[in-house]
Amino acid sequence: MSFQKNATSIFQTMSQMLELTGGDRFRVSAHAKASRVIKELTIDIEPLASAGDLKALVAIDGIGKGTASKLVELAQNGTITEYEELATKVPSGVMKVLSIQGLGPKSVKLMWDEKGVESIDDLKKIIEDGSILELPRMGAKTVENISASIEFLESSGKRLPIGIAQSIADRYLSLLKDTKGTIKVAYAGSLRRGKDTIGDVDILIASDDPEAAREAFVESPGVTAVLARGETKCSIRAAIGDSSNRWGADQNSAVQIDLRVVSESSWGAALLYFSGSKEHGVRLRERAIKMGMTLNEYGLFEDDGSDPTPPQTRGVDPVACETEESIYRALKMPFIPPTLREDRGEMSLEESVRVIELADIKAELHSHTIASDGKMTIEESAAIAKSRGFHTLAVTDHSQSSAVAGGLKPDRLREHILAVRKVDQKTDGISILAGSEVDILVDGTLDYDDELLHELDVVVASPHAGLRAKPKQATKRLLKAIEHPMVHVIGHPTGRLIERRPGLEPDMNELIAAAIEHNVALEINSHWMRLDLRDTHVRAAVEAGALISINCDDHHPSDYDNLKFGVMTGQRGWLTPELCINTWDANKLHGWLKSKR
Ligand code: DGT
Ligand code: CA
Ligand code: CA
Ligand code: ZN
């Protein structure tokens, strides 16, 4: 595990352990905040921490003195004394109980203190003998939910890649659209925010016939368990089934889907609330309070909070509730697109940023054909690209070292270049460029010699093998490729596979600086199994002014549909269209590509 990931999880765990042992509230939240800040860093802090450079650490936004010295301790001793002390006080089974969805530190602490629950098995026992009901705020319904969550945790527990969650959500969306009485239906939560992984799917519905909606939902095919069936909230578990594809998602895994029944009149407030993130929601509510108002899932109300009864219950008319736009307007803020709602600085925006949109993309610069491991001919791929309104498609089959992917030996590449040129000549309305996805070998050199690279219109250089290298080595390797004068794009720079392979962890800021210096674009690979660069990397690249290329890395016709995930990742990194080379008109793009020949 990288230092950064290790630190992120230790601080998070410390925060939870502090709460479980009745620690000071301020320290509980300080540790949670530190964990979040460290998680989102785009620089490698290990060298600073190893060198004991407190000054440099404290200079990083969001890292205070206490956190800095703990980071140093972690780097130098491999652990943190305070963490070790806390860990002796909290049994590991209690931490497992805490990982059950719907159980927070407060309830877990009560179970532990009052009923001696120190493992999930202990918890199951007090559920079975009913003694759990003696605890405060534990009703039959809550206990039922806890049981369902335990079952869920034991059978799956992983987050889903967005591509899988999206296809399941789409299935439920169309089912509910076709249900009697439906006025509006939409998904919210992390799926709407375009996060790379999804914990559960959240769907909102406004209906003239809520009972029909609830029924259609809990009785739909594929439901393996009904976790809750209330007036306003229903939860199910649904089998993933065949919506997974050749990337081999686990056929036995299931996903939780929450359906919230809301009223049409407060649609905007509900959508805003359930789209999250939780952190963004907290910041919005703070802002409302400062303005003498209350914001909740029913609306934004003129209300000073002195009356404990919620304003909607007292019959107070909302200032805004029908649309998200009207609520942001009433809060005197620009509209914040869902992909930006992560409390990463969007609250300070004075006007809206024009982030990249799907329709801005006019070129695909990373695609495979049957010449290597793709399933399309050059013509087929070009026809799809053209139908999407693209002016350019680059054919970039694999290079010789990617033998399992059918990589092309130099003479086959030469033939392939001719084949691409031929198809280009007889095809109207789109330029088809001859390129290659060239392996960046472990030592940072490229998989073809310069003479051959020179004949290619587009060179996407990507790491494929040796993805367990140490961060320092990874940085060196990628820097060398960036410095190569004939490279246009660094493809899937870290090589990670979501929930399956962590990939390289290079010093992203060094790569970004080099990419700017050498006029190289860094890729956001849109495949939902990759999303590489990830959102936080994109944000750092955009702030520095580096060029980005959003590509589908098509192997199959349906891969073109993944573009939306790459675009959302770009949005989450605040990417503007100008910095994305795939948005440029043909003249500008082709001129830029030729400038490296
Ligand atoms: P996920 O499912 O882990 O990928 O992430 P989300 O963001 O979809 O989170 P989820 O499903 O727990 O809740 C959906 C949204 O509902 C969340 O983004 C904000 C809102 N929400 C849920 N629970 C809370 C809460 O305890 N407090 C606040 N303020 N908002 C919440
Ligand atoms: Ca969710
Ligand atoms: Ca949820
Ligand atoms: Zn690749």
Side-chain angles (χ1 to χ4, degrees):
M1 201 187 324
S2 76
F3 179 75
Q4 185 179 357
K5 278 197 189 131
N6 195 14
T8 302
S9 99
I10 284 197
F11 276 92
Q12 168 71 12
T13 309
M14 282 173 78
S15 159
Q16 292 170 332
M17 287 175 162
L18 279 165
E19 189 157 7
L20 286 169
T21 52
D24 175 62
R25 277 207 61 76
F26 172 75
R27 299 190 56 227
V28 170
S29 68
H31 283 79
K33 165 120 194 274
S35 166
R36 233 182 109 218
V37 168
I38 296 164
K39 183 177 179 188
E40 294 184 356
L41 287 177
T42 49
I43 55 163
D44 183 10
I45 49 169
E46 186 170 15
L48 301 179
S50 299
D53 193 344
L54 286 172
K55 232 172 138 185
L57 288 169
V58 172
I60 298 170
D61 225 14
I63 292 189
K65 265 195 201 141
T67 306
S69 56
K70 281 178 194 139
L71 285 169
V72 170
E73 211 191 328
L74 181 62
Q76 295 181 346
N77 307 338
T79 187
I80 299 170
T81 322
E82 193 188 334
Y83 166 75
E84 295 296 330
E85 280 165 9
L86 280 166
T88 61
K89 293 186 198 151
V90 185
S92 65
V94 172
M95 295 305 289
K96 286 227 176 73
V97 173
L98 185 58
S99 68
I100 295 171
Q101 217 206 350
L103 274 185
K106 275 199 192 72
S107 321
V108 175
K109 183 167 161 41
L110 264 173
M111 291 174 180
W112 184 27
D113 290 349
E114 307 288 322
K115 297 281 169 200
V117 169
E118 297 197 342
S119 69
I120 291 184
D121 279 339
D122 289 348
L123 173 57
K124 280 184 182 165
K125 273 183 211 132
I126 65 164
I127 292 175
E128 260 161 48
D129 67 19
S131 64
I132 190 172
L133 294 166
E134 294 159 13
L135 292 172
R137 292 191 316 267
M138 279 292 164
K141 245 272 83 83
T142 315
V143 175
E144 211 173 280
N145 288 341
I146 296 172
S147 296
S149 297
I150 294 176
E151 195 193 317
F152 184 58
L153 181 79
E154 289 181 338
S155 68
S156 71
K158 268 190 157 184
R159 292 180 67 83
L160 277 186
I162 189 170
I164 295 182
Q166 179 82 65
S167 62
I168 293 167
D170 287 345
R171 215 161 68 200
Y172 277 88
L173 234 49
S174 64
L175 173 91
L176 291 166
K177 258 182 203 148
D178 293 341
T179 300
K180 183 162 80 72
T182 299
I183 306 165
K184 271 184 177 153
V185 59
Y187 54 81
S190 50
L191 186 60
R192 183 165 181 240
R193 302 198 310 282
K195 262 186 84 153
D196 50 9
T197 63
I198 307 299
D200 65 11
V201 173
D202 302 281
I203 299 179
L204 247 56
I205 189 163
S207 172
D208 285 330
D209 189 348
E211 187 46 31
R214 286 188 286 262
E215 196 174 302
F217 183 66
V218 301
E219 283 167 18
S220 55
V223 173
T224 58
V226 177
L227 309 176
R229 187 180 175 156
E231 283 277 300
T232 57
K233 181 183 172 185
C234 296
S235 283
I236 56 164
R237 257 175 74 195
I240 285 171
D242 58 5
S243 63
S244 61
N245 70 0
R246 72 210 148 77
W247 284 69
D250 182 0
Q251 296 286 329
N252 299 319
S253 53
V255 59
Q256 180 173 329
I257 309 178
D258 293 344
L259 179 73
R260 317 258 176 182
V261 181
V262 306
S263 85
E264 189 191 7
S265 60
S266 59
W267 179 259
L271 190 60
L272 183 60
Y273 184 89
F274 291 111
S275 291
S277 65
K278 202 168 157 182
E279 290 79 10
H280 180 79
V282 167
R283 298 295 304 273
L284 287 180
R285 287 190 288 281
E286 282 171 3
R287 189 177 175 101
I289 290 167
K290 276 201 196 117
M291 296 170 76
M293 296 189 281
T294 294
L295 175 65
N296 59 31
E297 64 265 51
Y298 301 99
L300 178 66
F301 302 88
E302 206 72 65
D303 173 53
D304 63 5
S306 57
D307 192 328
T309 310
Q312 71 275 8
T313 315
R314 279 182 278 132
V316 178
D317 276 337
V319 179
C321 62
E322 266 177 57
T323 63
E324 288 185 327
E325 284 81 358
S326 67
I327 296 169
Y328 280 110
R329 215 177 303 126
L331 288 171
K332 303 209 179 324
M333 286 177 68
F335 178 75
I336 308 291
T339 42
L340 269 65
R341 299 179 192 167
E342 296 289 348
D343 192 17
R344 291 180 183 160
E346 75 278 10
M347 293 300 297
S348 323
L349 284 172
E350 279 168 17
E351 50 191 282
S352 45
V353 262
R354 164 64 165 92
V355 287
I356 190 153
E357 286 163 16
L358 198 56
D360 294 326
I361 304 283
K362 296 288 174 215
E364 167 67 31
L365 300 175
H366 182 172
S367 72
H368 300 268
T369 69
I370 48 173
S372 62
D373 61 348
K375 296 280 175 280
M376 299 173 284
T377 61
I378 303 167
E379 288 90 342
E380 281 165 348
S381 189
I384 299 171
K386 193 173 148 183
S387 75
R388 303 221 159 204
F390 293 177
H391 57 63
T392 299
L393 168 69
V395 174
T396 58
D397 279 296
H398 285 286
S399 64
Q400 52 188 338
S401 289
S402 280
V404 278
L408 277 60
K409 293 259 185 265
D411 27 338
R412 275 198 63 213
L413 176 59
R414 288 203 175 83
E415 282 169 29
H416 194 44
I417 295 173
L418 293 179
V420 171
R421 304 249 180 267
K422 227 166 153 184
V423 178
D424 180 42
Q425 268 172 15
K426 60 175 200 207
T427 310
D428 288 333
I430 185 163
S431 304
I432 309 165
L433 304 180
S436 171
E437 182 186 15
V438 183
D439 269 46
I440 304 172
L441 304 177
V442 177
D443 64 359
T445 58
L446 299 185
D447 201 18
Y448 293 125
D449 62 30
D450 287 2
E451 196 194 335
L452 186 48
L453 293 175
H454 190 81
E455 290 178 36
L456 296 166
D457 307 320
V458 181
V459 171
V460 176
S462 316
H464 286 117
L467 297 175
R468 288 168 194 271
K470 292 248 153 58
K472 264 209 184 90
Q473 241 181 307
T475 308
K476 224 173 121 192
R477 174 183 182 186
L478 292 164
L479 280 177
K480 194 157 176 188
I482 291 171
E483 286 157 11
H484 193 292
M486 271 175 268
V487 168
H488 295 103
V489 176
I490 301 295
H492 49 72
T494 75
R496 74 147 171 179
L497 290 180
I498 288 170
E499 299 280 299
R500 284 168 61 192
R501 177 173 81 199
L504 300 171
E505 287 165 4
D507 184 321
M508 224 17 106
N509 287 3
E510 266 192 68
L511 297 194
I512 290 165
I516 294 170
E517 186 188 341
H518 296 279
N519 199 15
V520 165
L522 299 172
E523 181 179 74
I524 299 174
N525 190 294
S526 302
H527 199 292
W528 48 265
M529 218 47 226
R530 292 193 181 273
L531 296 175
D532 175 16
L533 302 178
R534 65 184 69 188
D535 55 3
T536 48
H537 296 157
V538 178
R539 182 74 186 276
V542 167
E543 269 172 19
L547 294 175
I548 297 288
S549 182
I550 303 183
N551 296 309
C552 290
D553 189 0
D554 312 279
H555 286 75
H556 194 270
S558 65
D559 289 344
Y560 277 95
D561 293 333
N562 288 328
L563 190 55
K564 56 180 179 286
F565 303 125
V567 168
M568 282 197 285
T569 302
Q571 292 175 342
R572 292 174 62 82
W574 296 36
L575 176 61
T576 52
E578 312 81 66
L579 280 178
C580 177
I581 63 173
N582 307 66
T583 71
W584 295 351
D585 63 37
N587 271 341
K588 183 169 175 187
L589 177 63
H590 296 176
W592 181 78
L593 292 169
K594 282 194 186 116
S595 74
K596 298 211 148 209
R597 283 296 166 273

